[in-house]
């Protein structure tokens, strides 16, 4: 069974940028895993270009009410 990993980082664009090296190391460690990255709307355009992630999901805490 393929391992699924979720990485949560939905605030602050600078922190999102700094998550890139972590995701690369994670992909090296888990090459067959399905990696999902949860980001805020502001970071989506940056995150969707990350080659080490399989799926980018947008989270908006305001949408929870």
């Amino acid at each position: 069974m393929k391992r699924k990993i979720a990485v949560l980082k939905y605030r602050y664009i600078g922190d999102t940028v700094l998550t890139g090296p972590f995701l690369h190391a994670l992909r090296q460690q888990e090459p067959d895993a399905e990696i999902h990255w949860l980001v805020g709307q502001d970071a989506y355009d940056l995150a969707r270009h990350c080659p080490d992630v399989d799926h980018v999901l947008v989270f908006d805490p305001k949408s929870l009410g």
Side-chain angles (χ1 to χ4, degrees):
M1 182 189 315
K2 195 176 212 181
R3 186 173 189 173
K4 294 184 180 183
I5 300 171
V7 176
L8 312 175
K9 189 69 207 148
Y10 71 92
R11 296 191 80 186
Y12 309 116
I13 193 74
D15 290 344
T16 301
V17 170
L18 294 174
T19 305
F22 165 77
L23 291 166
H24 183 71
L26 180 61
R27 175 58 72 200
Q28 297 295 314
Q29 193 72 22
E30 298 284 344
D32 297 326
E34 187 175 316
I35 300 175
H36 299 254
W37 192 8
L38 183 76
V39 298
Q41 182 64 49
D42 294 347
Y44 177 75
D45 285 334
L46 175 69
R48 69 186 179 104
H49 295 291
C50 182
D52 299 304
V53 175
D54 297 301
H55 303 282
V56 177
L57 307 165
V58 174
F59 174 70
D60 179 9
K62 295 176 187 172
S63 68
L64 299 176

